Amino acid sequence: MNIFLQTTCYRRFGPRLGSRVCRIALATALFATVAVGQRAPRAEFAPVVDSPTLPRVLIIGDSISIGYTLPLRAALDGIANVHRPPTNCAHTWKGLESIDQWLGDGKWDLIHFNWGLHDLKYVDEEGKLALPPKGKQVSTVGEYAANLEKLVQRLNQTGATLIWRPTTPVPEGAQGRVPADLAKYNAAAWEVIQRHGIEVDDMNSFIRDHNVPHVRPDNVHFSKDSSALLAGNTAELIRRTLESD
């Protein structure tokens, strides 16, 4: 939701009626966009109209997080306003470039974040997935850790409660990625996260303990049903954390 529009609606009509007016205005804008031949945003990327009485949660992450964004919003309905940047947040280099834009000017109560799956991947000179010798890793382990440290420092400046989500499993045969790299990158991230005393959403343990399947045995992504399972577990952690703050 455009912050100016939201603020104007609330000031003119009050929180309850203002929220309804904002929703109508947003729907009208989206209709107009489609009417002139432009594509409407993905549901995961659509602007969120805040309920002013609820805490604000920001999800920063890769396509795995995009997969669990909608079920997470549903699970936290009436508990929190759940936002995410309207993009795949990809690797830490993109994070450093875009973090200020993603954070915006609003206050965040909790930020659930992850980078890694795009840092450990291998790409060729054209940016396409390719294993060595044609492909080169997007970030070395050292670069990844250094970038993550900078990003955590920036996130800490928001005053929000932070929750880190480790990089999810890399199956054998996954294009452009080596399964053995996962442990190295998660270990490097763990050192940064532990040094800052940040809570961890141990999604990998949940995936292992509940045998949550990928969309295919050789693909890093999860099906809708699997993403819903991940969202349910994460929603419970976020709910408990918000209640304890």
Side-chain angles (χ1 to χ4, degrees):
M1 167 58 68
N2 182 289
I3 297 300
F4 174 78
L5 175 59
Q6 181 176 343
T7 302
T8 301
C9 288
Y10 283 3
R11 287 177 177 174
R12 179 169 297 182
F13 301 104
R16 180 176 297 180
L17 181 57
S19 178
R20 293 179 59 189
V21 172
C22 281
R23 290 178 187 277
I24 293 171
L26 176 60
T28 302
L30 290 176
F31 176 81
T33 297
V34 175
V36 296
Q38 298 181 15
R39 294 180 62 186
R42 291 180 55 171
E44 298 91 338
F45 297 161
V48 171
V49 178
D50 281 337
S51 171
T53 61
L54 298 180
R56 301 181 77 235
V57 172
L58 178 63
I59 305 299
I60 296 177
D62 51 32
S63 56
I64 306 304
S65 74
I66 295 173
Y68 58 68
T69 291
L70 293 182
L72 184 63
R73 281 184 184 149
L76 292 174
D77 184 37
I79 297 173
N81 302 297
V82 179
H83 298 253
R84 70 160 296 115
T87 185
N88 185 326
C89 299
H91 42 68
T92 53
W93 301 105
K94 182 174 181 178
L96 290 173
E97 178 182 339
S98 305
I99 190 64
D100 289 336
Q101 176 187 348
W102 294 343
L103 292 174
D105 298 326
K107 177 184 181 298
W108 298 107
D109 296 282
L110 186 149
I111 300 174
H112 182 282
F113 68 107
N114 163 265
W115 288 278
L117 197 57
H118 286 259
D119 287 272
L120 59 76
K121 73 181 180 182
Y122 296 80
V123 296
D124 59 22
E125 293 181 354
E126 297 180 353
K128 298 179 180 179
L129 293 172
L131 291 174
K134 291 185 177 180
K136 179 182 178 182
Q137 216 153 22
V138 172
S139 308
T140 66
V141 173
E143 290 171 336
Y144 172 63
N147 289 349
L148 185 58
E149 172 67 31
K150 294 175 183 177
L151 287 162
V152 168
Q153 290 180 11
R154 177 64 184 92
L155 293 175
N156 271 327
Q157 292 174 9
T158 66
T161 298
L162 304 182
I163 298 179
W164 166 253
R165 192 263 289 167
T167 301
T168 46
V170 175
E172 291 288 345
Q175 189 177 12
R177 295 178 174 91
V178 176
D181 287 336
L182 179 69
K184 303 173 187 176
Y185 281 72
N186 272 341
W190 174 251
E191 291 186 7
V192 175
I193 298 306
Q194 190 175 41
R195 184 162 58 248
H196 288 272
I198 296 171
E199 187 166 6
V200 176
D201 178 357
D202 192 0
M203 190 172 284
N204 288 359
S205 290
F206 180 82
I207 291 169
R208 182 188 65 245
D209 295 345
H210 294 79
N211 196 29
V212 180
H214 288 86
V215 67
R216 292 199 313 271
D218 62 349
N219 193 298
V220 297
H221 298 98
F222 294 90
S223 67
K224 287 186 177 180
D225 289 343
S226 294
S227 293
L229 290 174
L230 302 181
N233 185 65
T234 295
E236 181 60 22
L237 172 60
I238 291 176
R239 183 190 62 78
R240 293 197 310 266
T241 303
L242 289 172
E243 289 178 351
S244 64
D245 285 348

